[in-house]
Amino acid sequence: MSMFVKQTWYMAGWSADLSQDAPLGRSIAGELLVLFRDSEGRASAIQDRCPHRGVQLSLGKVLPAGLECGYHGMVFAGDGRCVKIPGQDSIPYRANVRRYPVEERDSMIWVWLGAAEDADPALIVDYPWHNQSDQWPHREGYFHFGCGFEMLVDNIMDLSHLGWVHARTIGGNPDQHAEAVMNVERTDRGVRFTRWLLNSTPPPSYSKVVSFAGNIDRWIELELVAPGVIMQYNGGVDVSQDAYNGGSRDGGFNWRILHVLVPETADTCHYFTSVSNGFRQDEPEVTDKLLADVHDTILEDKVICENQQRNLQEQPEPPLMDINSDQARVLFRWHLARLLKAENQETVAA
Amino acid sequence: MSMFVKQTWYMAGWSADLSQDAPLGRSIAGELLVLFRDSEGRASAIQDRCPHRGVQLSLGKVLPAGLECGYHGMVFAGDGRCVKIPGQDSIPYRANVRRYPVEERDSMIWVWLGAAEDADPALIVDYPWHNQSDQWPHREGYFHFGCGFEMLVDNIMDLSHLGWVHARTIGGNPDQHAEAVMNVERTDRGVRFTRWLLNSTPPPSYSKVVSFAGNIDRWIELELVAPGVIMQYNGGVDVSQDAYNGGSRDGGFNWRILHVLVPETADTCHYFTSVSNGFRQDEPEVTDKLLADVHDTILEDKVICENQQRNLQEQPEPPLMDINSDQARVLFRWHLARLLKAENQETVAA
Amino acid sequence: MSMFVKQTWYMAGWSADLSQDAPLGRSIAGELLVLFRDSEGRASAIQDRCPHRGVQLSLGKVLPAGLECGYHGMVFAGDGRCVKIPGQDSIPYRANVRRYPVEERDSMIWVWLGAAEDADPALIVDYPWHNQSDQWPHREGYFHFGCGFEMLVDNIMDLSHLGWVHARTIGGNPDQHAEAVMNVERTDRGVRFTRWLLNSTPPPSYSKVVSFAGNIDRWIELELVAPGVIMQYNGGVDVSQDAYNGGSRDGGFNWRILHVLVPETADTCHYFTSVSNGFRQDEPEVTDKLLADVHDTILEDKVICENQQRNLQEQPEPPLMDINSDQARVLFRWHLARLLKAENQETVAA
């Protein structure tokens, strides 16, 4: 019985992380993979372990024929087939290594850890804004966290932490949003969560970067696709645009954050993030600044989440309790449990 | 069955360690506590773990109402009651956390890990000299040791180690004390241990700080209160004062050392120490120097005790052996075993 | 059932490592030993653990009477007998510690971990070149590796790794040796492995240090004595000397490398190495250079072998596979398994 969801696409890296020359080792959900590009630039992922003496293939070199082990020179194609064993002509079947389905799109590389025949690319979330560099110029980031990925999803699903964890950065008075129009709904694959502040005075942080004529409608929208992709859209536009009722959200302050949380081990995870600038697209330094701001807050989350991980390991008892602000978080946990249960039942049935 | 004595007062910190503003996390005998002062300055101790998401409360902030969690803002009073959950009005019972009885006296904060109803303040050792700043000005210190606290008690209970471990600092020729009048006696709660050198020439280290008319009577007295408090009193006065037979010990060279050894985990511990200057009370630099000298010797003990801990873990066999100089040490171990046995029997009976 | 061969001589250090003054702690095959020289300079080895309180004796001091514990001053002779307990006259039997048979020869100190009565010095490999400073001036080195010693023996027994691991240092084109005359043979206690390149052009690295008249015969010879001693002899001389058929190997380029691989724990080991210069004996800087070159390649091996150890611990499955170049390596593993099996059977029978 696996502790990880395997029948899913996990982000393994940014497209830009994987050059033509060098392999990239990545540990995902307890499995060690090595990614590399073949001579046509197509990304592949195979087990990061030479079947001969067990060295990681990610120490090796990318050749036109495939990935060459750095120890005794065996070469593996992108589909896991061993294509060369120095010093012998025949290549036995067990010289091959496991390959993982890979999809690359929207500047991201995704791998499938489950049964290869179930790897349906349609299940990968669409994030078209990464491809719209004129309208949504973006920046990419990466963090390694010493906590289970689910603690990081929890963190984002309960935004009330902004008032405490991020008091010195983006968080404000935790009570100021009392009049917000809130909505949390379960979706097929996760949770959608919105908060609107209608007809409100633009806060200084908004006015500083965009000039408004008068009052604005502000929103924050989060969509989680379980297990660990969260798309966040924030902004505010002039009340006249009636954005709340479906009007245009252009022309004011607005930007997007992508959070991709990927389990590495039971108590460590990868945090891929991007910011997309939707309001001053021609100014690269504005987009840079968005990423820098997000990084600062992520480092604050890192302190909390890693403390939580360690503390729950040292003090597992008594059971934790839910409070009102946990509504979206609880839905996430429900989805996660459902995915794990379905998968483990399949494994038992198979 | 606990490996630690729980029905006892453990020192959790110096009074000066606990400001009005900031909480203090402290791990004692396998339990994680957070100490903080309420708005009247009274010290409290509760479990260092928020019941909501498990983060350590010692990352939080002290408010007039209590200790606020740094993650989502729940607040806890000094008795462990949750007094605020942001975003909801009702506070369920299980939002409360465990509180620990606390006593503060003689510049020290003590906590009781056992059943709260058994927490009798009369069991705390008296150390009135901490309050006599004119007669006994003192300095406080703290060390963290990578060994079980009992190895540190062992260390102090067998002073013959001075000749080897502290040869470069306070230890002299290990054979010079052969003519000493020694006495080791078991007390109700520990061991008392004295050594007198009667009518002896004052050693250079004594003469350097105090001028003597002629020969002196010298003493070293140790009292252990199990599990881990050791009060040490050293000095020498003119033979005419007949100190050995109960005469005054004032006017010569004399000072006190307090050693409080507190288990943290099975193989780490806290070492609180103070020195009290009983001979040149008006000279703060003399008191400072006493602490500095003690620190140097403690760092020498640290090397030995941590090596012992590691080596016994790697090489547990064969069983260790006692020698003559272990008399006081063996009594300490007898008391420790007795406390643990009584407690575990109570637990079984309950 | 031991995971280590115990009935064998393990190298514990270079003679030069063990001064007259200071003890040397060394962990070998899961046992902690301390080595020291008695007043006549004879090397001894006893358990590195005082029977009184368990501190490592290697923290102590070498006295004329033996090794003195740095905690309470007990003294142990080279045969493990306790010869002094401060504060008491009688010395009980259990104050003695285990002694290990020791032999010192050819600049190396060897210890026997098995039953003392089986410690036959004739089993120690001879390495007379260490004593021939005119003909074979040598240099000594030491490395600590984070891998099982058998991975390091594997490494050396399959020289095909030179083409990949040492491409930047001593390794050349891996295909250039295709025409070599190869021979691998099992010996009583290990494996002998030779490779000859007959009547070949001297490579630039040879010509740079020795001038040849024309073509040469080149050899590399390896002899493993299980579990972990490997003697390597490399060189090349003028074809006229007919070295391949037993003629003289003098006068050209030739040097020796000794590799002594000693298990420390299951996943760490000691790597002692020496180089002996057989071609420009009067030039110390040439011998120094040989050692420096070997060090560079050993650091390359370290990266590979430690990665292999870690990766096999994280990814033990599927089983590894052998390839053609593993012939000598497989014989080594066969000998190792045989030694372990014989020993464990003896233990069961005893």
Side-chain angles (χ1 to χ4, degrees):
Chain A
M1 188 167 134
S2 174
M3 62 188 314
F4 299 110
V5 177
K6 298 277 185 171
Q7 295 280 97
T8 195
W9 292 98
Y10 282 119
M11 181 171 170
W14 295 108
S15 290
D17 295 341
L18 195 59
S19 71
Q20 197 82 22
D21 304 325
L24 173 69
R26 190 72 83 186
S27 165
I28 299 180
E31 307 198 17
L32 277 76
L33 288 66
V34 53
L35 294 112
F36 63 101
R37 293 193 186 282
D38 66 19
S39 46
E40 277 112 55
R42 207 167 34 216
S44 305
I46 62 177
Q47 187 182 4
D48 194 7
R49 177 184 184 273
C50 181
H52 173 218
R53 302 304 307 148
V55 166
Q56 282 187 286
L57 294 171
S58 52
L59 291 188
K61 226 160 54 177
V62 180
L63 304 181
L67 181 55
E68 180 194 57
C69 178
Y71 201 176
H72 302 97
M74 283 169 66
V75 178
F76 303 87
D79 59 3
R81 270 182 314 112
C82 178
V83 295
K84 182 180 177 190
I85 300 181
Q88 74 188 61
D89 293 329
S90 74
I91 297 178
Y93 178 76
R94 68 207 168 94
N96 301 334
V97 298
R98 179 174 173 192
R99 72 110 187 173
Y100 293 89
V102 175
E103 290 289 322
E104 184 166 8
R105 59 166 76 167
D106 305 333
S107 300
M108 296 178 278
I109 301 171
W110 299 86
V111 297
W112 178 269
L113 299 192
E117 63 272 21
D118 297 329
D120 177 1
L123 294 171
I124 298 172
V125 293
D126 280 317
Y127 206 73
W129 301 282
H130 277 166
N131 308 319
Q132 301 168 17
S133 55
D134 285 353
Q135 192 53 30
W136 291 100
H138 80 281
R139 297 288 180 275
E140 298 161 355
Y142 169 77
F143 294 85
H144 186 266
F145 267 50
C147 69
F149 91 101
E150 60 272 40
M151 293 189 182
L152 211 32
V153 179
D154 283 347
N155 175 277
I156 301 171
M157 298 310 286
D158 182 354
L159 286 183
S160 81
H161 80 273
L162 266 66
W164 288 273
V165 178
H166 305 305
R168 275 182 303 270
T169 51
I170 55 165
N173 174 356
D175 302 324
Q176 77 183 2
H177 295 292
E179 72 269 35
V181 181
M182 309 268 286
N183 190 51
V184 176
E185 56 178 311
R186 191 171 80 199
T187 64
D188 280 355
R189 298 177 60 196
V191 187
R192 191 173 295 119
F193 173 90
T194 63
R195 181 155 56 178
W196 283 87
L197 274 183
L198 299 176
N199 195 16
S200 65
T201 317
S205 60
Y206 282 35
S207 305
K208 207 163 58 185
V209 291
V210 172
S211 77
F212 293 103
N215 273 5
I216 62 173
D217 292 336
R218 292 169 56 186
W219 69 89
I220 179 167
E221 287 186 3
L222 281 167
E223 181 167 1
L224 163 78
V225 177
V229 179
I230 303 171
M231 292 167 282
Q232 182 174 348
Y233 180 32
N234 316 298
V237 293
D238 198 275
V239 290
S240 64
Q241 297 184 213
D242 202 12
Y244 181 64
N245 292 309
S248 163
R249 299 195 190 181
D250 298 339
F253 173 62
N254 73 98
W255 60 304
R256 296 177 182 278
I257 317 176
L258 176 68
H259 312 265
V260 186
L261 291 339
V262 177
E264 183 186 48
T265 65
D267 47 20
T268 60
C269 66
H270 305 288
Y271 189 162
F272 299 98
T273 189
S274 76
V275 295
S276 298
N277 172 7
F279 61 104
R280 282 165 66 181
Q281 297 91 337
D282 297 332
E283 299 167 70
E285 66 279 10
V286 169
T287 316
D288 290 340
K289 181 64 165 50
L290 286 178
L291 185 66
D293 288 349
V294 166
H295 277 209
D296 288 346
T297 66
I298 287 178
L299 292 177
E300 290 171 331
D301 288 323
K302 187 169 161 77
V303 171
I304 289 288
C305 292
E306 295 185 347
N307 178 278
Q308 181 187 14
Q309 175 75 41
R310 261 196 322 275
N311 204 37
L312 286 172
Q313 274 167 342
E314 291 191 34
Q315 306 188 84
E317 293 298 324
L320 298 177
M321 63 177 291
D322 297 329
I323 62 177
N324 278 1
S325 66
D326 283 314
Q327 202 181 341
R329 200 188 64 67
V330 167
L331 285 174
F332 153 62
R333 290 285 187 158
W334 180 88
H335 273 288
L336 181 60
R338 190 177 55 89
L339 288 174
L340 278 169
K341 193 177 162 191
E343 202 157 299
N344 285 312
Q345 279 172 341
E346 270 173 38
T347 311
V348 170
Chain B
M1 187 166 134
S2 173
M3 62 188 315
F4 299 109
V5 178
K6 297 278 185 173
Q7 294 280 99
T8 195
W9 291 99
Y10 282 118
M11 181 170 171
W14 295 107
S15 290
D17 294 341
L18 195 59
S19 72
Q20 198 81 25
D21 305 324
L24 174 69
R26 190 71 83 186
S27 166
I28 299 181
E31 306 198 17
L32 277 76
L33 290 66
V34 54
L35 294 112
F36 63 100
R37 293 192 185 283
D38 67 17
S39 46
E40 279 111 55
R42 208 168 33 219
S44 304
I46 61 177
Q47 187 183 4
D48 193 8
R49 177 184 184 274
C50 181
H52 173 218
R53 302 305 305 148
V55 166
Q56 281 187 286
L57 294 170
S58 52
L59 291 188
K61 224 158 57 174
V62 180
L63 304 181
L67 180 56
E68 180 193 59
C69 178
Y71 200 177
H72 303 98
M74 285 170 65
V75 179
F76 304 87
D79 60 3
R81 270 181 315 110
C82 179
V83 295
K84 182 179 178 190
I85 300 180
Q88 74 188 59
D89 293 329
S90 74
I91 296 179
Y93 178 77
R94 67 205 169 94
N96 302 334
V97 298
R98 178 173 174 193
R99 74 111 186 168
Y100 293 88
V102 175
E103 290 290 322
E104 183 167 9
R105 60 168 73 169
D106 305 334
S107 300
M108 296 178 277
I109 300 172
W110 300 87
V111 297
W112 178 269
L113 298 192
E117 62 273 20
D118 298 328
D120 178 2
L123 293 171
I124 298 173
V125 293
D126 280 319
Y127 206 74
W129 301 282
H130 277 166
N131 307 318
Q132 300 167 18
S133 54
D134 285 354
Q135 193 53 31
W136 291 99
H138 80 281
R139 297 288 179 276
E140 297 160 355
Y142 170 76
F143 293 85
H144 186 267
F145 267 50
C147 68
F149 91 102
E150 61 272 40
M151 292 189 183
L152 212 31
V153 179
D154 284 347
N155 175 276
I156 300 171
M157 298 309 285
D158 182 354
L159 286 182
S160 80
H161 80 273
L162 267 66
W164 288 273
V165 178
H166 306 306
R168 275 181 302 269
T169 52
I170 55 165
N173 174 357
D175 302 324
Q176 79 182 1
H177 295 291
E179 73 269 37
V181 182
M182 308 268 287
N183 190 50
V184 177
E185 57 178 310
R186 192 172 80 199
T187 64
D188 279 356
R189 299 177 61 198
V191 187
R192 191 174 297 118
F193 174 90
T194 63
R195 180 155 56 176
W196 284 87
L197 274 183
L198 299 176
N199 195 18
S200 64
T201 316
S205 60
Y206 282 36
S207 306
K208 206 162 58 183
V209 292
V210 172
S211 75
F212 293 103
N215 273 5
I216 62 173
D217 292 335
R218 292 169 57 186
W219 70 88
I220 178 165
E221 287 187 3
L222 282 166
E223 181 168 0
L224 163 78
V225 179
V229 179
I230 302 170
M231 293 168 283
Q232 182 175 348
Y233 181 31
N234 316 297
V237 294
D238 197 275
V239 291
S240 65
Q241 296 183 214
D242 202 12
Y244 181 65
N245 293 308
S248 163
R249 302 196 189 180
D250 298 339
F253 173 63
N254 72 99
W255 59 305
R256 296 178 182 279
I257 317 175
L258 176 69
H259 312 264
V260 187
L261 292 337
V262 177
E264 183 185 51
T265 65
D267 47 19
T268 61
C269 66
H270 306 288
Y271 188 162
F272 299 100
T273 189
S274 77
V275 295
S276 297
N277 170 7
F279 61 106
R280 282 165 67 180
Q281 296 89 340
D282 297 333
E283 300 167 69
E285 65 279 12
V286 170
T287 317
D288 290 341
K289 180 62 165 52
L290 286 178
L291 186 65
D293 288 349
V294 166
H295 276 210
D296 288 346
T297 65
I298 287 178
L299 292 178
E300 290 171 329
D301 288 324
K302 190 170 160 74
V303 171
I304 289 289
C305 293
E306 296 185 346
N307 178 278
Q308 182 187 12
Q309 176 75 43
R310 259 197 324 273
N311 204 36
L312 286 172
Q313 276 167 341
E314 291 191 36
Q315 305 189 83
E317 293 299 327
L320 297 177
M321 62 176 292
D322 297 330
I323 62 177
N324 279 1
S325 65
D326 284 314
Q327 201 180 343
R329 200 188 63 69
V330 165
L331 285 173
F332 152 63
R333 291 285 186 157
W334 181 88
H335 273 289
L336 182 60
R338 191 178 54 90
L339 289 173
L340 278 169
K341 192 178 166 191
E343 200 157 297
N344 285 313
Q345 279 172 342
E346 272 173 37
T347 312
V348 170
Chain C
M1 188 167 132
S2 173
M3 64 188 313
F4 299 110
V5 178
K6 297 278 184 172
Q7 295 279 98
T8 195
W9 291 98
Y10 282 120
M11 181 171 171
W14 295 107
S15 290
D17 294 341
L18 195 58
S19 72
Q20 197 82 22
D21 305 324
L24 172 69
R26 189 72 83 187
S27 167
I28 299 181
E31 306 197 18
L32 277 75
L33 288 67
V34 54
L35 293 113
F36 63 102
R37 292 192 185 281
D38 65 20
S39 46
E40 280 112 53
R42 209 170 29 220
S44 303
I46 61 177
Q47 186 183 6
D48 194 7
R49 177 183 183 273
C50 181
H52 174 219
R53 302 306 304 148
V55 166
Q56 283 188 284
L57 294 171
S58 51
L59 290 188
K61 227 160 52 177
V62 181
L63 305 181
L67 180 56
E68 181 193 58
C69 177
Y71 201 177
H72 302 98
M74 284 169 66
V75 178
F76 303 87
D79 60 3
R81 270 182 315 112
C82 179
V83 294
K84 182 179 179 190
I85 301 180
Q88 74 187 59
D89 294 328
S90 75
I91 296 178
Y93 178 76
R94 67 208 169 93
N96 302 332
V97 297
R98 177 173 176 194
R99 71 113 188 169
Y100 293 88
V102 174
E103 291 289 323
E104 183 167 7
R105 60 167 73 168
D106 304 335
S107 300
M108 297 179 276
I109 300 172
W110 300 86
V111 297
W112 177 270
L113 298 193
E117 63 271 21
D118 298 329
D120 178 1
L123 294 171
I124 299 173
V125 293
D126 280 316
Y127 205 73
W129 301 282
H130 277 167
N131 308 317
Q132 301 167 15
S133 55
D134 285 352
Q135 191 54 30
W136 292 100
H138 81 281
R139 296 287 180 276
E140 298 162 355
Y142 170 76
F143 293 85
H144 187 267
F145 267 50
C147 68
F149 91 102
E150 62 270 41
M151 292 188 183
L152 211 31
V153 179
D154 284 347
N155 175 275
I156 300 171
M157 297 310 285
D158 182 354
L159 287 181
S160 81
H161 80 272
L162 266 67
W164 289 274
V165 178
H166 305 306
R168 275 182 302 270
T169 52
I170 56 165
N173 175 358
D175 302 324
Q176 78 184 5
H177 296 292
E179 72 270 35
V181 181
M182 310 268 287
N183 189 51
V184 177
E185 57 179 311
R186 192 171 82 199
T187 64
D188 278 356
R189 300 176 61 197
V191 187
R192 191 172 297 119
F193 174 89
T194 61
R195 181 154 56 178
W196 283 86
L197 273 183
L198 299 176
N199 195 16
S200 65
T201 316
S205 60
Y206 283 35
S207 305
K208 207 162 57 185
V209 291
V210 172
S211 76
F212 293 103
N215 272 7
I216 61 173
D217 292 335
R218 292 168 58 185
W219 69 88
I220 179 165
E221 287 187 3
L222 282 166
E223 180 168 1
L224 163 78
V225 177
V229 178
I230 302 170
M231 292 168 280
Q232 182 174 349
Y233 180 31
N234 317 297
V237 292
D238 198 275
V239 290
S240 65
Q241 298 184 213
D242 202 12
Y244 182 64
N245 293 308
S248 163
R249 300 196 190 183
D250 297 339
F253 174 62
N254 72 98
W255 59 304
R256 295 177 182 279
I257 317 176
L258 175 68
H259 313 264
V260 186
L261 291 338
V262 177
E264 182 185 52
T265 64
D267 47 21
T268 60
C269 65
H270 306 289
Y271 189 162
F272 299 98
T273 190
S274 77
V275 295
S276 297
N277 170 5
F279 61 105
R280 283 165 66 181
Q281 294 93 337
D282 297 332
E283 299 167 69
E285 67 278 10
V286 169
T287 316
D288 290 341
K289 180 64 165 50
L290 286 178
L291 186 66
D293 287 349
V294 165
H295 277 211
D296 287 346
T297 64
I298 287 179
L299 292 176
E300 291 172 328
D301 288 323
K302 190 169 160 74
V303 171
I304 289 288
C305 291
E306 295 185 346
N307 178 279
Q308 181 188 13
Q309 175 76 42
R310 263 197 321 276
N311 204 38
L312 286 172
Q313 275 167 342
E314 290 191 36
Q315 305 188 82
E317 294 297 327
L320 298 177
M321 63 177 291
D322 298 328
I323 61 177
N324 279 2
S325 65
D326 283 314
Q327 201 182 343
R329 202 187 64 67
V330 167
L331 284 174
F332 154 62
R333 291 284 185 160
W334 180 89
H335 272 289
L336 183 60
R338 190 177 56 91
L339 288 174
L340 279 169
K341 193 178 165 192
E343 200 158 298
N344 285 313
Q345 278 173 343
E346 273 171 37
T347 312
V348 169

